[in-house]
Amino acid sequence: MDISTICVHGSDKRYDTTGAVAVPIFASATFAHPGVGRSTGFDYTRSQNPTNEHLEQTVAALEGGAQAIAFSSGMAAVSALMEIFSPGDHIVAADDLYGGTFRLFAKISQKNGVKFSYANDLEQIKKEITPATKAVFIETPTNPMMNVIDIAAVAKITQDKNLLLIVDNTFLTPYFQRPIALGADIVLHSGTKYLGGHNDTLAGLLVTKDAGVGEQIRFIAKTTGGCLSPFDSFLIIRGIKTLAIRMERQQETALIIARWLCEQSKVTTVYYVGLPEHPKYEVSRRQASGFGGMLSFAVQDEQTAVKILESVKVIKYAESLGGVESLITYPMLQTHADLPESERNARGINACLLRLSVGLESANDLIADLGQAIGGSA
Ligand SMILES: *Cc1c(COP(=O)(O)O)cnc(C)c1O
């Protein structure tokens, strides 16, 4: 079945007999047992709930995984994932990660005895692997610099060494990129972003290639309790129904805006993986069926960056991404504020860098808004 059909209908399993077309919100913390030692398949919502199960099975189908487990946020999903590791275990992570993931690794997981090394290309990933290494953790395209990592090439390394490959697929979603088919073992989503798609709900998901790893994570999820509420689960299910057309339109507009930004005299660099001049354009074309709706750009000076943030009207100056409303972010002060300044600068996350999540407004209105905000550069 085509992925856009799976988005609309989700998993086939139905939980009621009314013929309800939309999967109901099962607002029940607990489920009555038909007899001693018997269960309807549902006991307590922290373990499982029909609305959540529908979401999980839908996302597992979209990603081509054996299991998906839903969490109350993307960070709750990463935190649960870290529980599969033990003190002394080592993880090689890509060095341009979502700021919250970096903060979790540095401030929580490290304190719990898990060790991290950071790498920014294949050679470095290989070099950082030690006998204690258990996993490689990447995000592609990266946030906010839009670097692209060749998932299949990393998978070759992890399969050789028997390591888990974990891929944060929040930016492209399974609509454009399916890491498990490229060799990943675990896929991570902040469902808050494109899957939900409306800037109104927090959610996270882990998808596993292997049923066994899935069971291991499900045990951690029900034990640590960061589960998604059935109400929020319903909103993510509803969001996914329109994922295909949102991704298509957001990508189309992102390309128009990226090309327009390239022509502005006050814009010094445009980072969008869909521009043929992007250094990893061919890798993107090979491993993904689209380029997504996220782009970053650098302007000539800090003053111009601040003026843009304070002058946009249609576009909102706010954290987050992937929703119907276009959002502009100042990575230095927002998503990546916890990264040490020297590391931020080394990655190009400086006072001149802005990140734009392209929403569903018309391209003309977004360009007019950016135009008046940048001012005098046409
Ligand atoms: C937002 C985000 C997260 C964290 O998800 P939350 O839902 O905000 O907890 C993780 N990874 C990426 C790439 C993100 O954009």
Side-chain angles (χ1 to χ4, degrees):
M1 212 178 276
D2 192 89
I3 198 153
S4 40
T5 309
I6 302 174
C7 285
V8 174
H9 291 284
S11 124
D12 292 334
K13 188 167 166 188
R14 284 294 175 269
Y15 302 93
D16 76 332
T17 54
T18 64
V21 169
V23 170
I25 303 170
F26 284 85
S28 188
T30 190
F31 298 84
H33 302 297
V36 174
R38 289 166 60 206
S39 164
T40 60
F42 299 96
D43 305 312
Y44 190 63
T45 283
R46 174 153 42 70
S47 300
Q48 192 51 294
N49 172 285
T51 314
N52 290 7
E53 185 179 87
H54 181 83
L55 170 65
E56 291 176 347
Q57 292 188 353
T58 301
V59 174
L62 291 173
E63 287 286 3
Q67 282 243 24
I69 300 105
F71 294 88
S72 56
S73 71
M75 290 319 302
V78 194
S79 308
L81 177 58
M82 285 303 112
E83 297 298 335
I84 70 177
F85 301 104
S86 302
D89 285 354
H90 173 249
I91 296 172
V92 180
D95 76 350
D96 187 20
L97 290 181
Y98 176 71
T101 304
F102 181 79
R103 181 175 58 204
L104 178 87
F105 290 174
K107 305 285 185 192
I108 311 280
S109 308
Q110 212 152 285
K111 159 183 79 71
N112 293 341
V114 180
K115 297 189 165 60
F116 295 86
S117 301
Y118 293 91
N120 68 7
D121 61 27
L122 287 172
E123 279 317 302
Q124 236 182 317
I125 289 175
K126 253 192 234 165
K127 256 201 340 237
E128 294 295 345
I129 292 170
T130 72
T133 307
K134 294 290 189 304
V136 173
F137 188 112
I138 63 171
E139 193 178 306
T140 180
T142 66
N143 180 14
M145 299 312 294
M146 308 296 154
N147 294 327
V148 174
I149 301 171
D150 187 332
I151 299 172
V154 179
K156 223 168 145 257
I157 302 171
T158 53
Q159 283 163 2
D160 256 14
K161 308 244 177 203
N162 211 11
L163 311 175
L164 290 173
L165 174 56
I166 303 160
V167 179
D168 185 332
N169 201 29
T170 298
F171 269 34
L172 287 184
T173 81
Y175 183 69
F176 283 140
Q177 177 169 277
R178 304 179 77 193
I180 288 172
L182 297 164
D185 300 286
I186 298 172
V187 172
L188 159 71
H189 278 284
S190 168
T192 312
K193 315 297 168 53
Y194 286 101
L195 298 183
H198 292 73
N199 290 323
D200 59 7
T201 320
L202 291 179
L205 286 130
L206 292 172
V207 189
T208 67
K209 177 169 80 180
D210 209 77
V213 178
E215 283 311 320
Q216 195 185 355
I217 293 173
R218 192 170 290 288
F219 173 81
I220 293 164
K222 81 169 180 193
T223 304
T224 57
C227 60
L228 188 61
S229 128
F231 285 81
D232 292 340
S233 200
F234 172 84
L235 288 174
I236 305 297
I237 293 166
R238 186 165 68 169
I240 290 172
K241 288 177 192 285
T242 56
L243 179 69
I245 55 167
R246 284 189 285 108
M247 292 307 289
E248 291 288 353
R249 171 70 180 272
Q250 280 164 293
Q251 151 167 281
E252 187 185 312
T253 309
L255 183 60
I256 296 169
I257 293 175
R259 291 217 168 102
W260 179 84
L261 284 168
C262 289
E263 285 160 14
Q264 306 309 305
S265 59
K266 291 183 184 173
V267 174
T268 53
T269 320
V270 179
Y271 305 91
Y272 179 56
V273 296
L275 290 172
E277 54 270 33
H278 187 283
K280 296 285 178 61
Y281 182 74
E282 286 309 322
V283 179
S284 287
R285 291 208 355 163
R286 204 167 55 233
Q287 73 181 8
S289 58
F291 306 107
M294 293 300 301
L295 60 91
S296 295
F297 60 102
V299 291
Q300 60 189 17
D301 50 33
E302 178 168 4
Q303 198 189 343
T304 307
V306 170
K307 179 172 175 291
I308 293 171
L309 292 168
E310 292 183 344
S311 316
V312 285
K313 294 190 174 72
V314 177
I315 301 167
K316 304 300 175 212
Y317 168 32
E319 247 171 271
S320 203
L321 62 105
V324 296
E325 295 92 358
S326 292
L327 303 180
I328 194 162
T329 309
Y330 206 17
M332 177 184 79
L333 291 188
Q334 295 177 299
T335 51
H336 291 68
D338 284 317
L339 208 61
E341 191 182 347
S342 58
E343 292 189 36
R344 271 204 311 263
N345 284 333
R347 288 164 210 190
I349 307 173
N350 56 35
C352 300
L353 186 80
L354 298 171
R355 189 190 78 185
L356 181 67
S357 168
V358 176
L360 289 182
E361 304 91 340
S362 94
N364 288 342
D365 287 336
L366 293 175
I367 285 175
D369 196 32
L370 283 170
Q372 64 80 27
I374 295 173
S377 69

